[in-house]
Amino acid sequence: MPIVESSKPPRNVNYDLLRCVAMCLVIGVHVVNNYMPVKMTLTGPDETVRFTLFAIFMTCNPLFIMVSGRFNLTFDAGEESGLKPYARYYYKRFVSLIFPYLFYAGTLGFTAYLVMDHRSLAGAATGTLYDLFSGYDDSVYWFVFMLAGFVLATPFMAPMLRAIGRTGAWLLIGLAAAVAAAEQICSLFGYPLTFLNSFPWRGLLFYYLLGYVLEFYPPSVRARRATYVIAPFTLAWTVAAPVLFPGHPAQVNRTLTVAYAVVVAAIFLLFRYDVHIRSERARKAIIWLAGYSYTIYLVHSPLSKVAIGRFLPAPTNGLQYAAISVAMFAATFLAALLFAIIADNLLLKPLQRLLHKVRI
């Protein structure tokens, strides 16, 4: 995910690693939940394994949101008065976050409407504009809509987080978790607490704040280890909940549940604090790959649908399902990486350099 730092301390390669991990996880999500179930429906233990993997893979979006929150929420207007620091902040985020989305999603969507749906130029343009700005629920780009909203609010949330300090920040996280727990428990038993819909710190905004809090007010080593111990049990609950409470949506989607937040936090803490990259070659490779992570995030799904998914055979048993899923993951990753290397260097980065020359 594109990040713009307010200051430039020594680069922490663990955040690049987190972006690479999240990038791989999101490809896994679309393989095991969007593409492969169309070819074959699993049942019994096979479906349990598939859904467990899906629950792990779905941590991709919270991880990206946490990394973005960790860096964006460092915004500080400093001593400068007026609108200039806010204008610079918004413009830089437009160039790094929104422009690549408009460029890639718009180009791929417009081409798909023309070539695959055989629409007229006007029809393709209309469909593309709807997808870009109004297609939240129907689009694989829903996370961009959500993150853009968080980014808009960041210049006002950042001073608040600095002002309330460690105690206030963890109190806010605890309060948001308590509200989410109350919502989830009551909903499972048929008593939705609809009045909590007005609570402002709910949903995936929780992860945006949590990324900042875990970096600047980190938990102790003992607390991290306790999170690692608890996480498998909360993952098991997440997987079991749809079976225990039929008719309720899986607890891994766009709403926040405390059990799933523990799984996400465990993965984030592990790769942030307890994975140590010693090899200089490995560090350089991770940084290089992370530089293409956002583009891969944006283009892997349409590329997979058009260039990969339709050509893979339909499996007839669980073993074939697993093998074809792995093949689809590898093909999607390589195709998206190749696309990102070519398109970023030939098109996106030169355009971004031109945009960065605009003085705000």
Side-chain angles (χ1 to χ4, degrees):
M1 191 66 70
I3 302 298
V4 181
E5 300 180 48
S6 58
S7 59
K8 291 188 176 180
R11 189 182 188 101
N12 188 332
V13 75
N14 287 72
Y15 279 104
D16 295 292
L17 179 60
L18 271 166
R19 283 186 278 189
C20 291
V21 169
M23 172 190 66
C24 292
L25 292 174
V26 75
I27 296 175
V29 166
H30 291 135
V31 169
V32 304
N33 198 62
N34 291 20
Y35 307 141
M36 289 305 293
V38 175
K39 297 181 177 292
M40 178 180 176
T41 301
L42 299 179
T43 58
D46 289 338
E47 172 58 16
T48 301
V49 172
R50 187 200 71 82
F51 187 72
T52 302
L53 289 173
F54 171 59
I56 296 172
F57 293 160
M58 271 296 289
T59 61
C60 59
N61 291 310
L63 289 175
F64 262 133
I65 290 170
M66 289 174 73
V67 172
S68 189
R70 175 263 179 263
F71 287 97
N72 286 325
L73 286 167
T74 59
F75 169 82
D76 186 359
E79 300 298 323
E80 193 171 3
S81 61
L83 296 177
K84 280 190 175 182
Y86 299 93
R88 281 197 299 268
Y89 167 84
Y90 286 127
Y91 185 71
K92 288 180 180 179
R93 270 58 181 184
F94 168 79
V95 173
S96 61
L97 174 67
I98 303 302
F99 180 73
Y101 162 67
L102 296 175
F103 183 72
Y104 285 129
T107 302
L108 293 174
F110 184 76
T111 303
Y113 278 126
L114 283 178
V115 177
M116 300 181 67
D117 290 0
H118 306 291
R119 294 193 185 186
S120 65
L121 287 174
T126 301
T128 301
L129 288 173
Y130 178 85
D131 290 342
L132 287 175
F133 299 106
S134 304
Y136 177 87
D137 288 324
D138 299 326
S139 172
V140 294
Y141 301 118
W142 64 269
F143 75 95
V144 178
F145 290 73
M146 180 170 291
L147 188 57
F150 298 163
V151 168
L152 282 174
T154 290
F156 313 101
M157 292 192 293
M160 178 199 74
L161 285 173
R162 286 196 300 274
I164 62 179
R166 173 184 289 270
T167 300
W170 276 111
L171 182 60
L172 177 59
I173 292 297
L175 180 59
V179 168
E183 281 188 296
Q184 181 65 23
I185 292 170
C186 293
S187 177
L188 289 175
F189 288 99
Y191 297 97
L193 300 179
T194 53
F195 75 91
L196 290 178
N197 290 341
S198 61
F199 181 71
W201 313 108
R202 64 194 298 272
L204 296 185
L205 178 60
F206 173 87
Y207 293 114
Y208 195 69
L209 301 174
L210 185 61
Y212 176 92
V213 173
L214 289 179
E215 172 67 21
F216 293 98
Y217 308 115
S220 65
V221 174
R222 181 178 296 179
R224 293 204 310 269
R225 290 175 179 171
T227 304
Y228 301 151
V229 171
I230 296 170
F233 298 99
T234 59
L235 176 63
W237 165 256
T238 300
V239 173
V243 178
L244 298 174
F245 300 91
H248 286 271
Q251 299 179 37
V252 296
N253 293 320
R254 302 172 196 178
T255 56
L256 170 69
T257 68
V258 176
Y260 196 60
V262 173
V263 178
V264 174
I267 295 173
F268 182 92
L269 290 170
L270 175 67
F271 285 99
R272 167 61 184 90
Y273 292 105
D274 293 313
V275 172
H276 306 288
I277 310 300
R278 313 251 182 228
S279 167
E280 189 60 30
R281 286 185 178 181
R283 291 171 62 88
K284 289 180 179 179
I286 290 168
I287 292 170
W288 174 81
L289 185 57
Y292 295 107
S293 62
Y294 186 44
T295 296
I296 291 174
Y297 224 77
L298 290 172
V299 306
H300 77 274
S301 182
L303 283 179
S304 185
K305 287 180 181 178
V306 174
I308 299 168
R310 62 172 62 188
F311 300 109
L312 291 176
T316 59
N317 56 56
L319 191 60
Q320 288 184 9
Y321 189 104
I324 294 173
S325 296
V326 172
M328 188 172 188
F329 174 90
T332 300
F333 174 78
L334 291 174
L337 177 60
L338 181 62
F339 181 98
I341 292 172
I342 296 172
D344 275 15
N345 289 293
L346 292 182
L347 298 171
L348 179 66
K349 289 182 179 178
L351 290 172
Q352 286 180 314
R353 283 194 289 268
L354 286 175
L355 292 171
H356 277 303
K357 290 180 180 179
V358 176
R359 303 186 69 178
I360 302 295

